[in-house]
Amino acid sequence: MVDHLANTEINSQRIAAVESCFGASGQPLALPGRVLLGEGVLTKECRKKAKPRIFFLFNDILVYGSIVLSKRKYRSQHIIPLEEVTLEPLPETLQAKNRWMIKTAKKSFVVSAASTTERQEWISHIEECVRRQLLATGRQPTTEHAAPWIPDKATDICMRCTQTRFSALTRRHHCRKCGFVVCAECSRERFLLPRLSPKPLRVCSLCYRELAAQKRREEAKETYRNSPGQPTHLGSGAVCGASSGDDDDSDEDREGSGDGDWPSQVEFYTSGVSWSAFHS
């Protein structure tokens, strides 16, 4: 690791440059002892399609955002504490290479690098930072992770009822518990998932039944302990009724709309070009 870079002028300049690129829309990143270890462009698999994203690896956080002007302006800054991160390498296919999943309790998503070498560099550096952060904080590795969203293009029909076919008029929705692509009828209910949001979120019919049954079991145990004989009820974890459709289904669309000056006429990764750099 590069502990010798902590509190040095070159490290401060690198972090200041990142802050400048995000501008007023980003959060301050400079902290005593924080080191910028690496940066680069990775492909992030978003809801509608894979998109280029700029990533910055610090010794305690992972930061990423959308590219507006390469090396000049970024937006939609996301900050992930590394002690919450678990990585899962994904198998190679003819269509998808150099991929791995970044998993946290609040959000999980798939990224890919330009080459096998860069993929291994990212994974090894992130895992080492996570290990050191867990040692420093005394925390245990996270065991519960949010389900990654299945991309829209993965299916043309609802993954629950397997009957509703999506079209320009029939919207796709995502269950916040399992990540499946579902129709409106199969995702009418909402349920409180505290790890993801303080408000009830859209869930599919199967996940709702499982979550509601788990909630009833928990309340039955609590009722039995506190006042035997009292009737149980479905608590504030569940919200029944039709979903209004105004939830955050379109987060990824807003995050990636208008991806700036990325040249659409050329391939995203060009052979022989290094898209990631790690500082030493």
Side-chain angles (χ1 to χ4, degrees), residues 87-106:
L87 302 186
E88 179 184 338
L90 298 176
E92 300 282 289
T93 68
L94 290 176
Q95 294 78 24
K97 297 180 181 296
N98 309 319
R99 302 160 71 236
W100 72 97
M101 188 181 299
I102 298 174
K103 302 191 293 185
T104 75
K106 292 186 176 181

Side-chain angles (χ1 to χ4, degrees), residues 44-45 55 64 80 100-102 107-111 148:
K44 179 176 180 290
E45 294 187 8
F55 279 78
Y64 73 90
I80 304 174
W100 72 97
M101 188 181 299
I102 298 174
K107 186 174 186 178
S108 300
F109 55 91
V110 174
V111 295

Side-chain angles (χ1 to χ4, degrees), residues 14-29 36 39-40 53-58 61-69 71-79 255:
R14 288 168 177 162
I15 295 178
V18 177
E19 291 180 329
S20 176
C21 287
F22 278 107
S25 65
Q27 296 184 38
L29 299 172
L36 177 58
E39 56 198 86
R53 293 287 181 263
I54 186 70
F55 279 78
F56 299 96
L57 175 62
F58 295 82
I61 57 174
L62 182 66
V63 178
Y64 73 90
S66 301
I67 302 169
V68 180
L69 293 172
K71 299 183 179 180
R72 292 177 57 190
K73 185 177 181 181
Y74 309 129
R75 67 179 181 188
S76 302
Q77 184 190 76
H78 295 258
I79 300 177
E255 173 191 314

Side-chain angles (χ1 to χ4, degrees), residues 61-231:
I61 57 174
L62 182 66
V63 178
Y64 73 90
S66 301
I67 302 169
V68 180
L69 293 172
S70 184
K71 299 183 179 180
R72 292 177 57 190
K73 185 177 181 181
Y74 309 129
R75 67 179 181 188
S76 302
Q77 184 190 76
H78 295 258
I79 300 177
I80 304 174
L82 285 178
E83 62 266 25
E84 300 177 4
V85 169
T86 302
L87 302 186
E88 179 184 338
L90 298 176
E92 300 282 289
T93 68
L94 290 176
Q95 294 78 24
K97 297 180 181 296
N98 309 319
R99 302 160 71 236
W100 72 97
M101 188 181 299
I102 298 174
K103 302 191 293 185
T104 75
K106 292 186 176 181
K107 186 174 186 178
S108 300
F109 55 91
V110 174
V111 295
S112 61
S115 66
T116 302
T117 300
E118 289 188 23
R119 170 182 179 267
Q120 188 53 46
E121 284 184 320
W122 275 102
I123 290 177
S124 61
H125 279 87
I126 292 174
E127 287 183 337
E128 176 63 13
C129 288
V130 170
R131 185 188 68 81
R132 290 167 65 97
Q133 272 298 104
L134 291 174
L135 284 174
T137 60
R139 294 180 53 174
Q140 294 298 312
T142 302
T143 57
E144 293 188 44
H145 304 103
W149 283 16
I150 303 296
D152 283 3
K153 64 181 180 180
T155 180
D156 290 327
I157 62 173
C158 173
M159 298 175 72
R160 283 302 178 210
C161 68
T162 67
Q163 296 181 14
T164 301
R165 185 166 293 276
F166 300 118
S167 66
L169 299 178
T170 305
R171 284 191 58 194
R172 289 171 168 85
H173 298 280
H174 279 82
C175 172
R176 300 312 193 273
K177 182 66 169 61
C178 66
F180 277 25
V181 183
V182 291
C183 66
E185 188 61 30
C186 288
S187 59
R188 292 177 60 84
E189 288 84 9
R190 298 190 181 196
F191 203 93
L192 182 63
L193 303 172
R195 290 187 295 109
L196 304 184
S197 173
K199 65 179 182 178
L201 300 175
R202 181 190 296 270
V203 293
C204 69
S205 52
L206 177 60
C207 286
Y208 177 80
R209 290 195 295 271
E210 293 176 348
L211 289 165
Q214 180 182 354
K215 182 73 173 180
R216 283 194 292 268
R217 289 193 296 269
E218 292 173 353
E219 291 190 341
K221 291 179 181 178
E222 185 67 21
T223 300
Y224 181 79
R225 285 195 298 265
N226 295 336
S227 181
Q230 294 296 319

